Amino acid sequence: DAKTTQPNSMESNEEEPVHLPCNHSTISGTDYIHWYRQLPSQGPEYVIHGLTSNVNNRMASLAIAEDRKSSTLILHRATLRDAAVYYCILRMDSSYKLIFGSGTRLLVRP
Amino acid sequence: DTGVSQNPRHKITKRGQNVTFRCDPISEHNRLYWYRQTLGQGPEFLTYFQNEAQLEKSRLLSDRFSAERPKGSFSTLEIQRTEQGDSAMYLCASSPTGAGEPYEQYFGPGTRLTVT
């Protein structure tokens, strides 16, 4: 399974944008990039996913490098509710399982 | 849409006892997944069902673990002869089938198991 590397923790101020990086240098051509987040005492929650092109949804944007070896999750205006652990996951096209790493713990300062 | 539900939410058991957890997926979700999460770590995949068929099972899942989904709706995860290392949060998730890849898994709140 291809691995991802994320910083252990990041901090942000409320209402400012947040860029969460993820390195995945061993990604294969058919691996999807997924982001999930886990709020305290809850199960993980889907955020966004992509394959090659940048993606936007109501929660966030996903910017994928041209060589696909890295990606960035962008929260446009952080709120206190966005404080969570964010997981960058590579999912093989032929499999439905998610392989989580340790994630990035995001702290949002008021 | 009531979401994925799991019961019980907490279970304390003595080492050597058997435990069973239940997961009710979102209605009409054909795919169901079990994960395990220990403190400070990300969730770890255990197994996956499509309808009643168990299609993938982690090598980490020892013979003491068994999962079933007999009618393609709810699922149970049983741990026999529990060990202290089994203490963890057990998460269930479900996802729909249909056009396109299954990009979103919906997770339940988990069952926290403590083995004393």
Side-chain angles (χ1 to χ4, degrees), chain B residues 43-110:
Chain B
E44 184 179 44
F45 171 80
L46 294 178
T47 190
Y48 144 69
F49 290 85
Q50 179 156 324
N51 298 315
E52 64 274 9
Q54 188 173 19
L55 296 186
E56 193 166 354
K57 195 172 165 180
S58 168
R59 285 170 293 183
L60 300 169
L61 212 62
S62 76
D63 292 343
R64 296 184 299 106
F65 287 71
S66 63
E68 292 183 343
R69 195 181 182 201
K71 296 181 181 177
S73 56
F74 72 91
S75 174
T76 57
L77 177 69
E78 181 184 16
I79 309 174
Q80 296 183 327
R81 305 180 304 281
T82 52
E83 301 172 356
Q84 287 189 318
D86 298 330
S87 295
M89 177 74 82
Y90 289 84
L91 293 161
C92 176
S94 69
S95 67
T97 54
E101 76 279 8
Y103 57 84
E104 184 171 357
Q105 293 184 18
Y106 296 78
F107 282 80

Side-chain angles (χ1 to χ4, degrees), chain A residues 3-69:
Chain A
K3 285 190 66 174
T4 62
T5 304
Q6 300 178 252
N8 288 335
S9 63
M10 292 185 65
E11 291 188 21
S12 171
N13 294 319
E14 197 175 10
E15 298 190 6
E16 289 186 356
V18 182
H19 291 234
L20 297 165
C22 181
N23 287 321
H24 30 78
S25 57
T26 59
I27 191 170
S28 74
T30 55
D31 285 346
Y32 286 84
I33 302 161
H34 291 248
W35 284 82
Y36 279 72
R37 71 180 186 182
Q38 188 169 23
L39 279 66
S41 302
Q42 294 188 25
E45 173 188 33
Y46 168 84
V47 178
I48 202 166
H49 84 290
L51 183 61
T52 56
S53 304
N54 295 344
V55 185
N56 300 298
N57 67 19
R58 62 175 179 81
M59 287 182 72
S61 295
L62 176 60
I64 301 173
E66 199 170 328
D67 63 4
R68 302 213 320 132
K69 293 184 185 300

Side-chain angles (χ1 to χ4, degrees), chain A residues 1 30-32 34 90-99, chain B residues 31 33 35 45 48 55-56 101-102 105:
Chain A
D1 298 315
T30 55
D31 285 346
Y32 286 84
H34 291 248
L90 299 183
R91 183 184 64 79
M92 293 167 54
D93 183 37
S94 58
S95 174
Y96 300 118
K97 67 185 179 187
L98 300 174
I99 306 297
Chain B
R31 297 192 178 104
Y33 314 79
Y35 293 83
F45 171 80
Y48 144 69
L55 296 186
E56 193 166 354
E101 76 279 8
Q105 293 184 18

